[in-house]
Amino acid sequence: GDALAVSARVAPLGSRLVLLLVEDLTEARRTEAVRRDFVANVSHELKTPVGALSLLSEAVMDASDDPEAVTRFAGRMQAEATRLTSLVQELIDLSRVQNDDPLEDAEPVRVDELVAEAIDRCGHQAGTKQITMAAGGTAGLYIWGNRGQLAAALGNLVENAVNYSPARTRVGIAGRRVAGSGGDMIEIAVTDQGIGISEKDRERIFERFYRVDPARSRATGGTGLGLAIVKHVAASHGGEVTVWSAEGQGSTFTLRLPEAGSRGDRGVADGDDD
Ligand code: ADP
């Protein structure tokens, strides 16, 4: 009787162990597949501009007696070099946000400064497209986090809003404090009146290298890494990024991040007025 009881107890335990092992292996295999895809994607993305540079340099050599053509090819070489540089920079940024613990250098970060920086960063492009930028609700708000990473995240969202909007539209940036389960959170919402994103694509845009329209993304200097960086920064800060969108009408990306003062840090809100 005893032996039967024991084996009856062990059998389900055994099968659960096997199941756990299988799940572990599946998970490991999935991680490995994602890593392989990523390396393949990086290789492909690097090859494109390098291939173009190689062809263009040949064209320059062949056109050595035609100064106008040389200038034209050189201009295109410069454009390819620029896209290569921004791709490498974004890869460095991505690897940094994936590997560094942002909270090691955490400090209270002023939201109005982050917003001003982000607007500054795409001021030129917004100006060319006559896009109006408006910010509000950010005064007196502080996020607890890594200044550089937060600036990169918000900068990417504002840059996208400008990139994927037609001329003479408006990009709004709004800050506010909301109650979260683990303390107050700061929300920064970036709203555009751009092309919007379909429901199917909304599920995938945060993946590395995923673009709805690769040609359009390339034309605006996009790498397909921006939103992956934003997602990592938000998550590693204990926050999140969400998207609302209506095709043809526009999108709102909302960053939700822990407020400084709500996490046991010194809390600027309590009279630290340096
Ligand atoms: P990219 O460098 O291509 O902009 P991202 O990772 O920043 O890469 O964004 C991924 C894709 O999501 C973009 O290629 C674009 O198709 C879509 N997207 C991002 N932001 C917006 C937006 N504000 N409006 C419409 N589409 C957007």
Side-chain angles (χ1 to χ4, degrees), residues 160-161 164 192 195-197 205 210-213 217 222-227 251 253:
N160 280 345
Y164 300 104
D192 65 53
I195 57 177
I197 307 158
I205 48 172
Y210 187 83
R211 303 149 162 133
V212 176
D213 176 353
S217 161
T223 60
L225 294 175
L227 287 180
S251 313
F253 284 82

Side-chain angles (χ1 to χ4, degrees), residues 20-187:
L20 280 177
L21 209 64
V22 169
E23 273 173 1
D24 249 26
L25 274 175
T26 316
E27 177 61 28
R29 219 166 273 149
R30 201 177 298 130
T31 312
E32 173 60 19
V34 167
R35 195 192 61 78
R36 243 192 337 251
D37 279 359
F38 179 63
V39 172
N41 279 331
V42 171
S43 312
H44 175 77
E45 297 289 334
L46 288 171
K47 259 191 197 153
T48 309
V50 171
L53 278 169
S54 161
L55 287 175
L56 285 163
S57 63
E58 268 170 40
V60 167
M61 283 188 271
D62 290 345
S64 52
D65 51 357
D66 180 354
E68 240 171 74
V70 169
T71 309
R72 204 170 57 239
F73 291 140
R76 284 174 52 193
M77 288 179 82
Q78 198 169 36
E80 292 298 335
T82 304
R83 88 171 272 90
L84 201 52
T85 307
S86 68
L87 176 60
V88 170
Q89 186 55 53
E90 292 253 286
L91 283 169
I92 292 172
D93 287 350
L94 179 65
S95 110
R96 209 168 270 158
V97 301
Q98 284 180 336
N99 296 318
D100 296 359
D101 174 8
L103 301 182
E104 233 163 65
D105 307 307
E107 57 182 330
V109 180
R110 279 177 67 141
V111 175
D112 56 356
E113 285 180 7
L114 285 178
V115 169
E117 253 172 63
I119 290 179
D120 236 35
R121 192 168 122 178
C122 34
H124 177 73
Q125 218 217 326
T128 316
K129 291 172 83 172
Q130 291 177 270
I131 286 176
T132 314
M133 309 262 251
T138 57
L141 300 185
Y142 290 77
I143 294 167
W144 181 244
N146 179 301
R147 186 166 219 300
Q149 290 197 9
L150 293 173
L154 186 63
N156 269 314
L157 291 183
V158 177
E159 202 167 56
N160 280 345
V162 172
N163 272 346
Y164 300 104
S165 289
R168 284 178 293 280
T169 52
R170 178 179 180 284
V171 170
I173 308 172
R176 64 181 186 137
R177 177 187 292 112
V178 295
S181 51
D184 281 355
M185 304 289 278
I186 300 296
E187 265 186 15

